[in-house]
Structure formats: C-alpha cells, structure tokens
Amino acid sequence: MSVLVYVPIKEGKATKAGLEAASYANAISGGSATAVVTGNLDGDGGIGSVGIGKVLAFSESLVDNSQIAKLVDAAASEVGANTVVFTANLEGGAVAPRVAIRLNAGYVAGVTGEPEGSNFPRNVFSGKAKALVNVSTDKTVVSVTPNAFGIKEVGGSASVDSFSVDVGESKLLIGEFTPASADGSVPLPEAERVVSAGRGLKGPENWGIVEDLARALNASTACSRPVGDMGWRPHHEHVGQTGVTIRPDLYIACGISGAIQHLAGVNQSKVIVVINTDPEAPFFKAADYGIVGDVFEVLPKLTEAINSLS
Ligand code: FAD
C-alpha cells in the first residue's frame, strides 16, 4: 500500500494528533509512508520518530482548506499514493473530503484501527457499536480518530524535501488569531487528562477547585453543555454530542449527571472517574471508578492527596 499522510505542524513540530496519523500511516504502509506538511519545520518536526522516512515540505503556512487540499492532491500524485491519511479533527474533516473528491477516492472518516483487508473500523452510534467500512474504490482517504490508534514511536529521522506546487490564491484572510488555550493548557482534543465539571458545581465562582485538581494532574478542563450555555465556562470547553469529542487517558467528571448526549463525547476515554452526590446518577454506569460524594468536599481532598505525591 502506497500511503501519504498530511501532518499538521505547530511551532515547527508535528502535533500530537499529527504524529498519531503518521503512526497509522506507517503501520498500514508497512513502513513506507511519506508525509506532507506546510509551514516552517524544525528539523523533521519529529515525524521520523514514528517511522516515516520522507517528508515533503511546502514552505508557506496554509490556512485555506482548498489550498491544503490542492497541496495534498499534488503530493499524492508525486508519490503515487493510493491511500491518504488525515487526522479526524476540524482541519482534517474539512480537507480530507476535498482530497477524496479530487482523487475520486472512497472516504472513511474517523477510523479507529488498522484495516482488515479493505474494511476500515470506525465507531458508530456514539461509540456503542463498531462498523467495518468497505472501500471499493482504487484509492482511499481516511481520517484517524485522535487517541484511538496512539503514537507508535520507533525512533529514527526523516529526510525533508522541499515541495512546491501552485495552490492558487487563498480565499481567506486571518485578521486576528487568539488561541483558545491562551493559558498554555493542552487543547482538549489532544489532552491526555481532563477534569470536567457540570451543573453540580452550582456556579462559575466555584471553578477554582476544578482548576486546582486539573493543575495537580497537569490536565485540561472541560464542562457539560449547560455550563457552557450559561456562560459559566467558555464554549470551547463543552464536551459531548454537540461539543468536542475527546478520548483522554483519564476523564474525571465532577457533578455531571451523565446524560447520553454528554457521554457521546467522552465515553471512549480510557479511564472514567465520576464524582456525584447521587448514587443513581447515570454516569456511574459508564465509570471505571466512582465516588459518591460532594464535589466541594471530595475535590480539595483529591487535589491535596495528588499534590502530596509530588
Ligand atoms: P445536571 O443534569 O443538572 O446534573 C448535575 C449533576 O450534578 C447531578 O447528577 C447531581 O446529582 C450532581 N450534583 C449536584 N450537586 C453536586 C455536588 N455538590 N457534588 C457532586 N455532584 C453534585 N450535554 C452535554 O454535556 N454535552 C452535549 O454535547 C450535549 N448535547 C446535547 C444535545 C441535545 C440535542 C440535547 C437535547 C441535549 C444535549 N446536552 C448535552 C444536554 C444533556 O442532555 C444534559 O442536560 C446535560 O449534559 C446535563 O448537564 P449536567 O450533568 O452538568 O447537569
């Protein structure tokens, strides 16, 4: 299988999700995949560490999804790729279908593992079932669900070749760019640990105990939808069916009931800890560990215990 992977770059390095997509590409290609990137690269951006031998680097940083699609299309022709891999994030979700149309390829969004023949696994019905999607076209475009496959470091470095192609004029102009996580915390889709809270916190003035626990665990913070809707927390922290989907190693839910729409965005987390005063709260059914208790008593004790370990 000849495989090309588009790896998003941040500050010269491959993003965590990009390294995961590159790991996937390396696995399904049997170690022969090529990466394509845009913008300034620091060395090979760490891409060689997951087994990729060659990087095609387009020096200009692109923000227009149509331009990125043109670039990836050209790179796929350059290396004769029959499979193109993306990350299943906002950018991947916008670029991958465009590339699929350009290549006349079948597109599978959000794959979770290596294909079985030409059948690609993906989760459906909010993670309650697994579908095997059969691709019958000669070419395939897939996007990899973050935290589903993992980063498989094998060591090594990649050669970097500059790659230039006419991608046309950008139809977008970014006037101002303010990262949502201006405090330096990891963006939610990439976070390995998340402390999340719901209406059980009673009001925005009480979020200090959530942030203290998150700081102790080096975790990012999230919230349920009503908390975002009421303006207690910024909307980009809202997880669930209509918010961000996450798959961290650890998800701690504080004062969240566990409605199906909330679970849809978090139930693929590796370990779920639920803290709730109501022993009948539905979230306990999805929990690996549960504490029936008041967040105002439990969170400070948990934070103190974790801090005492370091
Ligand atoms: P509540 O349901 O009010 O639960 C609060 C919980 O806190 C309760 O279980 C209570 O026992 C507990 N509690 C109270 N006090 C304490 C205390 N002192 N200590 C510990 N526990 C305490 N929701 C999302 O989160 N994400 C979504 O993406 C989303 N999408 C939706 C889409 C649609 C179409 C619809 C209809 C709904 C959606 N919802 C979503 C809303 C969802 O149905 C729930 O209403 C919401 O998740 C409930 O939020 P909550 O658990 O914070 O609040």
Side-chain angles (χ1 to χ4, degrees), residues 197-202 223-227 238-243 254-262 275-278 281-282 293-296:
R199 260 198 302 225
L201 264 287
K202 320 285 188 221
C223 66
S224 65
R225 174 170 156 171
V227 163
H238 147 208
V239 289
Q241 184 185 313
T242 45
C254 314
I256 302 176
S257 56
I260 181 96
Q261 297 91 351
H262 184 87
I275 305 163
N276 199 305
T277 41
D278 177 5
D294 186 331
V295 285
F296 296 100

CSV table of all heavy atoms in Angstrom, one decimal, residues 197-202 223-227 238-243 254-262 275-278 281-282 293-296, ligand 1:
chain,number,residue,atom,x,y,z
A,197,ALA,N,-16.5,19.5,34.7
A,197,ALA,CA,-17.5,19.7,35.7
A,197,ALA,C,-18.8,20.2,35.1
A,197,ALA,O,-18.8,20.7,34.0
A,197,ALA,CB,-17.0,20.7,36.7
A,198,GLY,N,-19.9,19.9,35.9
A,198,GLY,CA,-21.2,20.2,35.4
A,198,GLY,C,-21.9,21.1,36.3
A,198,GLY,O,-21.3,21.8,37.2
A,199,ARG,N,-23.3,21.1,36.2
A,199,ARG,CA,-24.1,22.0,37.0
A,199,ARG,C,-24.0,21.7,38.5
A,199,ARG,O,-24.4,22.6,39.3
A,199,ARG,CB,-25.6,21.8,36.6
A,199,ARG,CG,-26.0,22.9,35.6
A,199,ARG,CD,-27.5,23.0,35.5
A,199,ARG,NE,-28.1,21.8,35.0
A,199,ARG,CZ,-29.1,21.8,34.1
A,199,ARG,NH1,-29.4,22.9,33.5
A,199,ARG,NH2,-29.7,20.7,33.8
A,200,GLY,N,-23.5,20.6,38.9
A,200,GLY,CA,-23.3,20.3,40.3
A,200,GLY,C,-22.3,21.2,41.0
A,200,GLY,O,-22.3,21.3,42.2
A,201,LEU,N,-21.6,22.0,40.2
A,201,LEU,CA,-20.6,23.0,40.8
A,201,LEU,C,-21.3,24.3,41.2
A,201,LEU,O,-20.7,25.1,41.8
A,201,LEU,CB,-19.5,23.3,39.7
A,201,LEU,CG,-18.2,22.6,39.9
A,201,LEU,CD1,-17.4,23.0,41.1
A,201,LEU,CD2,-18.4,21.1,39.9
A,202,LYS,N,-22.6,24.4,40.9
A,202,LYS,CA,-23.5,25.5,41.3
A,202,LYS,C,-23.3,26.8,40.7
A,202,LYS,O,-24.2,27.7,40.6
A,202,LYS,CB,-23.5,25.7,42.9
A,202,LYS,CG,-23.5,24.4,43.7
A,202,LYS,CD,-24.8,23.7,43.7
A,202,LYS,CE,-24.8,22.5,44.7
A,202,LYS,NZ,-25.5,21.3,44.2
A,223,CYS,N,-16.3,20.9,30.4
A,223,CYS,CA,-17.6,21.1,31.1
A,223,CYS,C,-18.7,20.5,30.3
A,223,CYS,O,-18.6,20.1,29.1
A,223,CYS,CB,-17.8,22.6,31.3
A,223,CYS,SG,-18.1,23.5,29.8
A,224,SER,N,-19.9,20.4,31.0
A,224,SER,CA,-21.1,19.9,30.3
A,224,SER,C,-21.7,21.1,29.5
A,224,SER,O,-21.3,22.3,29.7
A,224,SER,CB,-22.1,19.4,31.3
A,224,SER,OG,-22.5,20.4,32.2
A,225,ARG,N,-22.6,20.8,28.7
A,225,ARG,CA,-23.2,21.8,27.8
A,225,ARG,C,-23.9,22.9,28.5
A,225,ARG,O,-23.7,24.1,28.2
A,225,ARG,CB,-24.1,21.1,26.8
A,225,ARG,CG,-24.9,22.1,25.9
A,225,ARG,CD,-25.6,21.5,24.8
A,225,ARG,NE,-26.7,22.3,24.4
A,225,ARG,CZ,-27.4,22.0,23.3
A,225,ARG,NH1,-27.1,21.0,22.6
A,225,ARG,NH2,-28.4,22.8,23.0
A,226,PRO,N,-24.8,22.6,29.5
A,226,PRO,CA,-25.5,23.7,30.2
A,226,PRO,C,-24.5,24.7,30.8
A,226,PRO,O,-24.8,25.9,30.9
A,226,PRO,CB,-26.3,23.0,31.3
A,226,PRO,CG,-26.3,21.6,31.0
A,226,PRO,CD,-25.2,21.3,30.0
A,227,VAL,N,-23.3,24.2,31.3
A,227,VAL,CA,-22.3,25.1,31.9
A,227,VAL,C,-21.8,26.1,30.8
A,227,VAL,O,-21.6,27.2,31.1
A,227,VAL,CB,-21.2,24.2,32.5
A,227,VAL,CG1,-20.0,25.0,32.8
A,227,VAL,CG2,-21.7,23.5,33.8
A,238,HIS,N,-16.9,22.8,26.2
A,238,HIS,CA,-18.1,22.0,26.3
A,238,HIS,C,-17.8,20.7,25.5
A,238,HIS,O,-17.5,20.7,24.3
A,238,HIS,CB,-19.3,22.8,25.7
A,238,HIS,CG,-20.4,22.0,25.0
A,238,HIS,ND1,-21.1,22.6,24.0
A,238,HIS,CD2,-20.8,20.8,25.1
A,238,HIS,CE1,-22.0,21.8,23.6
A,238,HIS,NE2,-21.8,20.6,24.2
A,239,VAL,N,-18.0,19.5,26.2
A,239,VAL,CA,-17.8,18.2,25.5
A,239,VAL,C,-19.1,17.5,25.4
A,239,VAL,O,-20.0,17.7,26.2
A,239,VAL,CB,-16.8,17.3,26.3
A,239,VAL,CG1,-15.4,17.9,26.2
A,239,VAL,CG2,-17.2,17.2,27.8
A,240,GLY,N,-19.2,16.6,24.4
A,240,GLY,CA,-20.4,15.9,24.2
A,240,GLY,C,-20.8,15.8,22.7
A,240,GLY,O,-20.1,16.3,21.9
A,241,GLN,N,-22.0,15.4,22.5
A,241,GLN,CA,-22.6,15.2,21.2
A,241,GLN,C,-22.5,16.5,20.4
A,241,GLN,O,-22.2,16.4,19.2
A,241,GLN,CB,-24.0,14.7,21.3
A,241,GLN,CG,-24.7,14.4,20.0
A,241,GLN,CD,-26.2,14.1,20.3
A,241,GLN,OE1,-26.5,13.3,21.2
A,241,GLN,NE2,-27.1,14.7,19.6
A,242,THR,N,-22.8,17.6,21.0
A,242,THR,CA,-22.8,18.9,20.3
A,242,THR,C,-21.6,19.7,20.6
A,242,THR,O,-21.5,20.9,20.2
A,242,THR,CB,-24.1,19.7,20.6
A,242,THR,OG1,-24.2,19.6,22.1
A,242,THR,CG2,-25.3,19.1,20.0
A,243,GLY,N,-20.6,19.1,21.3
A,243,GLY,CA,-19.4,19.8,21.7
A,243,GLY,C,-18.2,19.0,21.2
A,243,GLY,O,-18.2,18.4,20.1
A,254,CYS,N,-17.0,15.8,37.4
A,254,CYS,CA,-17.4,16.3,38.7
A,254,CYS,C,-18.8,16.9,38.6
A,254,CYS,O,-19.0,17.9,37.9
A,254,CYS,CB,-16.4,17.3,39.2
A,254,CYS,SG,-14.7,16.8,38.9
A,255,GLY,N,-19.8,16.4,39.3
A,255,GLY,CA,-21.1,17.0,39.3
A,255,GLY,C,-21.7,17.0,38.0
A,255,GLY,O,-22.4,18.0,37.6
A,256,ILE,N,-21.5,15.9,37.2
A,256,ILE,CA,-22.2,15.8,35.9
A,256,ILE,C,-23.0,14.6,35.9
A,256,ILE,O,-22.6,13.5,36.4
A,256,ILE,CB,-21.1,15.7,34.7
A,256,ILE,CG1,-20.2,16.9,34.7
A,256,ILE,CG2,-21.8,15.5,33.4
A,256,ILE,CD1,-19.0,16.8,33.7
A,257,SER,N,-24.3,14.7,35.4
A,257,SER,CA,-25.2,13.6,35.6
A,257,SER,C,-24.9,12.4,34.7
A,257,SER,O,-25.2,11.2,35.1
A,257,SER,CB,-26.7,14.1,35.3
A,257,SER,OG,-26.7,14.6,34.0
A,258,GLY,N,-24.3,12.7,33.5
A,258,GLY,CA,-24.0,11.6,32.6
A,258,GLY,C,-25.1,11.3,31.6
A,258,GLY,O,-25.4,10.2,31.2
A,259,ALA,N,-25.7,12.4,31.1
A,259,ALA,CA,-26.8,12.3,30.1
A,259,ALA,C,-26.1,11.7,28.8
A,259,ALA,O,-24.9,11.9,28.6
A,259,ALA,CB,-27.3,13.6,29.7
A,260,ILE,N,-26.9,11.0,28.0
A,260,ILE,CA,-26.4,10.3,26.8
A,260,ILE,C,-25.7,11.2,25.9
A,260,ILE,O,-24.6,10.9,25.3
A,260,ILE,CB,-27.6,9.6,26.1
A,260,ILE,CG1,-27.1,8.8,24.9
A,260,ILE,CG2,-28.7,10.5,25.7
A,260,ILE,CD1,-26.9,7.4,25.1
A,261,GLN,N,-26.2,12.5,25.8
A,261,GLN,CA,-25.5,13.5,24.9
A,261,GLN,C,-24.1,13.9,25.4
A,261,GLN,O,-23.3,14.2,24.7
A,261,GLN,CB,-26.4,14.7,24.7
A,261,GLN,CG,-27.7,14.5,24.1
A,261,GLN,CD,-28.8,14.2,25.1
A,261,GLN,OE1,-28.5,14.0,26.3
A,261,GLN,NE2,-30.0,14.1,24.6
A,262,HIS,N,-24.0,13.8,26.7
A,262,HIS,CA,-22.6,14.1,27.3
A,262,HIS,C,-21.7,13.0,27.1
A,262,HIS,O,-20.6,13.1,26.6
A,262,HIS,CB,-22.8,14.5,28.8
A,262,HIS,CG,-21.4,14.9,29.4
A,262,HIS,ND1,-21.0,16.1,29.4
A,262,HIS,CD2,-20.5,14.1,30.0
A,262,HIS,CE1,-19.8,16.2,30.0
A,262,HIS,NE2,-19.4,15.0,30.3
A,275,ILE,N,-17.6,11.7,40.1
A,275,ILE,CA,-17.8,12.2,41.5
A,275,ILE,C,-19.2,12.8,41.5
A,275,ILE,O,-19.5,13.8,40.7
A,275,ILE,CB,-16.8,13.2,41.9
A,275,ILE,CG1,-15.4,12.6,41.7
A,275,ILE,CG2,-17.0,13.7,43.3
A,275,ILE,CD1,-14.3,13.6,41.8
A,276,ASN,N,-20.2,12.3,42.2
A,276,ASN,CA,-21.5,12.7,42.2
A,276,ASN,C,-22.2,12.4,43.5
A,276,ASN,O,-22.0,11.3,44.1
A,276,ASN,CB,-22.3,12.1,41.0
A,276,ASN,CG,-23.5,12.9,40.6
A,276,ASN,OD1,-24.4,13.1,41.5
A,276,ASN,ND2,-23.6,13.2,39.4
A,277,THR,N,-23.0,13.3,44.0
A,277,THR,CA,-23.7,13.0,45.3
A,277,THR,C,-24.9,12.0,45.1
A,277,THR,O,-25.3,11.4,46.1
A,277,THR,CB,-24.4,14.3,45.8
A,277,THR,OG1,-25.0,15.0,44.7
A,277,THR,CG2,-23.4,15.2,46.5
A,278,ASP,N,-25.3,11.8,43.9
A,278,ASP,CA,-26.5,11.0,43.6
A,278,ASP,C,-26.0,9.6,43.2
A,278,ASP,O,-25.5,9.4,42.1
A,278,ASP,CB,-27.4,11.6,42.5
A,278,ASP,CG,-28.5,10.7,42.2
A,278,ASP,OD1,-28.7,9.7,42.8
A,278,ASP,OD2,-29.2,11.0,41.2
A,281,ALA,N,-27.0,8.5,39.8
A,281,ALA,CA,-26.6,9.2,38.6
A,281,ALA,C,-26.2,8.3,37.4
A,281,ALA,O,-25.3,7.4,37.7
A,281,ALA,CB,-25.5,10.2,38.9
A,282,PRO,N,-26.7,8.5,36.2
A,282,PRO,CA,-26.4,7.5,35.1
A,282,PRO,C,-24.9,7.4,34.8
A,282,PRO,O,-24.5,6.4,34.3
A,282,PRO,CB,-27.2,8.1,33.9
A,282,PRO,CG,-28.0,9.2,34.4
A,282,PRO,CD,-27.7,9.5,35.9
A,293,GLY,N,-20.2,11.4,46.5
A,293,GLY,CA,-19.8,12.4,47.4
A,293,GLY,C,-20.0,13.8,46.8
A,293,GLY,O,-20.2,14.0,45.6
A,294,ASP,N,-19.8,14.8,47.7
A,294,ASP,CA,-20.0,16.2,47.4
A,294,ASP,C,-18.7,16.7,46.8
A,294,ASP,O,-17.6,16.6,47.4
A,294,ASP,CB,-20.3,16.9,48.7
A,294,ASP,CG,-20.7,18.4,48.4
A,294,ASP,OD1,-20.2,18.9,47.5
A,294,ASP,OD2,-21.5,18.9,49.2
A,295,VAL,N,-18.8,17.3,45.6
A,295,VAL,CA,-17.5,17.8,44.9
A,295,VAL,C,-16.8,18.8,45.8
A,295,VAL,O,-15.6,18.9,45.8
A,295,VAL,CB,-17.8,18.4,43.5
A,295,VAL,CG1,-18.1,17.4,42.5
A,295,VAL,CG2,-18.9,19.5,43.6
A,296,PHE,N,-17.6,19.5,46.6
A,296,PHE,CA,-16.9,20.6,47.4
A,296,PHE,C,-16.1,20.0,48.5
A,296,PHE,O,-15.2,20.7,49.1
A,296,PHE,CB,-18.0,21.6,47.9
A,296,PHE,CG,-18.7,22.3,46.8
A,296,PHE,CD1,-19.9,21.9,46.4
A,296,PHE,CD2,-18.1,23.4,46.2
A,296,PHE,CE1,-20.6,22.5,45.3
A,296,PHE,CE2,-18.7,24.0,45.1
A,296,PHE,CZ,-19.9,23.6,44.7
B,1,FAD,P1,-27.4,18.2,35.5
B,1,FAD,O1,-28.2,17.2,34.7
B,1,FAD,O2,-28.2,19.2,36.2
B,1,FAD,O3,-26.6,17.3,36.5
B,1,FAD,C1,-25.9,17.8,37.6
B,1,FAD,C2,-25.4,16.6,38.4
B,1,FAD,O4,-24.6,17.1,39.5
B,1,FAD,C3,-26.5,15.7,39.0
B,1,FAD,O5,-26.2,14.4,38.7
B,1,FAD,C4,-26.3,15.9,40.5
B,1,FAD,O6,-26.6,14.8,41.3
B,1,FAD,C5,-24.9,16.3,40.6
B,1,FAD,N1,-24.6,17.2,41.8
B,1,FAD,C6,-25.3,18.2,42.3
B,1,FAD,N2,-24.6,18.8,43.3
B,1,FAD,C7,-23.5,18.1,43.5
B,1,FAD,C8,-22.4,18.2,44.4
B,1,FAD,N3,-22.3,19.1,45.3
B,1,FAD,N4,-21.4,17.2,44.3
B,1,FAD,C9,-21.4,16.3,43.4
B,1,FAD,N5,-22.4,16.1,42.5
B,1,FAD,C10,-23.4,17.0,42.5
B,1,FAD,N6,-24.9,17.9,27.3
B,1,FAD,C11,-23.6,17.9,27.3
B,1,FAD,O7,-22.9,17.9,28.3
B,1,FAD,N7,-22.9,17.9,26.1
B,1,FAD,C12,-23.5,17.9,24.9
B,1,FAD,O8,-22.9,17.9,23.9
B,1,FAD,C13,-25.0,17.9,24.9
B,1,FAD,N8,-25.6,17.9,23.7
B,1,FAD,C14,-27.0,17.9,23.8
B,1,FAD,C15,-27.7,17.8,22.6
B,1,FAD,C16,-29.1,17.8,22.6
B,1,FAD,C17,-29.8,17.7,21.3
B,1,FAD,C18,-29.8,17.8,23.8
B,1,FAD,C19,-31.3,17.7,23.8
B,1,FAD,C20,-29.1,17.9,25.0
B,1,FAD,C21,-27.7,17.9,25.0
B,1,FAD,N9,-27.0,18.0,26.2
B,1,FAD,C22,-25.6,18.0,26.1
B,1,FAD,C23,-27.6,18.2,27.5
B,1,FAD,C24,-27.8,16.9,28.3
B,1,FAD,O9,-28.9,16.3,27.9
B,1,FAD,C25,-27.8,17.2,29.8
B,1,FAD,O10,-28.9,18.1,30.0
B,1,FAD,C26,-26.6,17.8,30.3
B,1,FAD,O11,-25.4,17.1,30.0
B,1,FAD,C27,-26.7,17.9,31.8
B,1,FAD,O12,-25.6,18.7,32.3
B,1,FAD,P2,-25.1,18.4,33.8
B,1,FAD,O13,-24.8,17.0,34.1
B,1,FAD,O14,-24.0,19.4,34.1
B,1,FAD,O15,-26.3,19.0,34.7
